[in-house]
Amino acid sequence: NLTDYGKKLARLPLDPTFGNLLLQSSKYGCTSDMLTAVSMMSAENIFYRQGEFAGKAAAAHRRFSSHEGDIPTLLNVYQAWRKEAVYATGKKSRASEGKISHGDWCVRNYISGRALIRAHDVRNQLK
């Protein structure tokens, strides 16, 4: 028999650890950040570091780095992307607001665009 909490956890389409983080986040007033963190951790590795560009990639990733750990670092990536880039799916582009395209932002920051969109989609589904 599952507890009420276990039933809530079982209804979430997530790894139980991630589900627990989400369910507990309301107690701490950080549900929005936890939605982002869980979605970013659910996606494949968002950091692109390969071959001859590994040094440039590491330098680009430093701006997102947090001494507090991986979760704040992932939050920094997502928040910077939302602030600086536009991801348009047939909607009006916000380039006039000083934002650059999703693809250009990912290339400049050595971020996997596909993984970032996956995280964004997961976040929207969980919201």
Side-chain angles (χ1 to χ4, degrees):
N1 290 338
L2 287 176
T3 63
D4 288 340
Y5 186 79
K7 288 176 185 175
K8 287 180 188 177
L9 195 57
R11 281 193 292 252
L12 293 173
L14 294 168
D15 177 281
T17 303
F18 294 159
N20 183 51
L21 288 171
L22 276 180
L23 291 176
Q24 296 296 320
S25 66
S26 64
K27 290 181 185 178
Y28 302 98
C30 61
T31 302
S32 180
D33 283 346
M34 197 50 64
L35 275 169
T36 301
V38 165
S39 66
M40 293 289 279
M41 290 186 291
S42 296
E44 63 191 62
N45 187 11
I46 63 160
F47 295 107
Y48 179 77
R49 291 184 194 127
Q50 269 191 279
E52 65 187 82
F53 300 110
K56 289 181 180 180
H61 297 162
R62 272 191 214 106
R63 80 180 188 112
F64 306 118
S65 182
S66 171
H67 69 280
E68 295 175 318
D70 292 342
I71 291 176
T73 297
L74 292 171
L75 287 173
N76 289 342
V77 171
Y78 189 83
Q79 290 165 353
W81 174 70
R82 296 292 293 159
K83 180 180 176 185
E84 300 166 6
V86 59
Y87 172 61
T89 55
K91 297 177 184 174
K92 182 182 164 189
S93 173
R94 292 178 281 173
S96 62
E97 295 176 15
K99 295 185 177 189
I100 63 173
S101 75
H102 161 74
D104 288 345
W105 189 90
C106 291
V107 167
R108 287 182 188 179
N109 291 287
Y110 296 87
I111 300 292
S112 168
R114 183 180 65 189
L116 195 51
I117 293 305
R118 171 80 177 123
H120 181 66
D121 290 346
V122 168
R123 188 183 191 289
N124 285 339
Q125 290 169 12
L126 292 173
K127 207 167 32 169

